[in-house]
Amino acid sequence: AADDDLSLTVDYGAVAGQLAAVVSGEPVALIETLADRLAAVCLAADEAVREVEITVHKPHAPLIQSLQDVTVTIRRSRA
């Protein structure tokens, strides 16, 4: 950001497209699995991405309790 140079940034549009493909792709049973897959896509998208925090929402999850939303948040970083 200090250099205001687009060539030094992540192509967020491309990453968003990859994330959308994961979300609409192979179904998963756990939102934790989806969050992990999304994090992996972000980290693989560009060397500039060093850490990622992903929150996945599951509105109206099929629970005995009446909750409007269930979320899981994960953090991943490069090794």
Side-chain angles (χ1 to χ4, degrees):
D3 293 330
D4 197 34
D5 184 349
L6 282 175
S7 69
L8 300 176
T9 65
V10 176
D11 182 346
Y12 297 110
V15 174
Q18 293 172 355
L19 295 174
V22 170
V23 171
S24 65
E26 181 184 346
V28 297
L30 301 172
I31 60 175
E32 292 86 351
T33 302
L34 179 58
D36 193 58
R37 289 180 182 179
L38 295 171
V41 166
C42 290
L43 290 171
D46 193 299
E47 292 279 328
V49 178
R50 295 190 178 145
E51 292 181 295
V52 63
E53 179 177 291
I54 301 286
T55 300
V56 175
H57 293 259
K58 186 171 186 175
H60 310 291
L63 300 172
I64 295 171
Q65 299 81 6
S66 179
L67 301 175
Q68 290 185 327
D69 192 20
V70 173
T71 66
V72 63
T73 299
I74 65 166
R75 291 175 190 83
R76 298 289 185 266
S77 60
R78 293 188 181 280

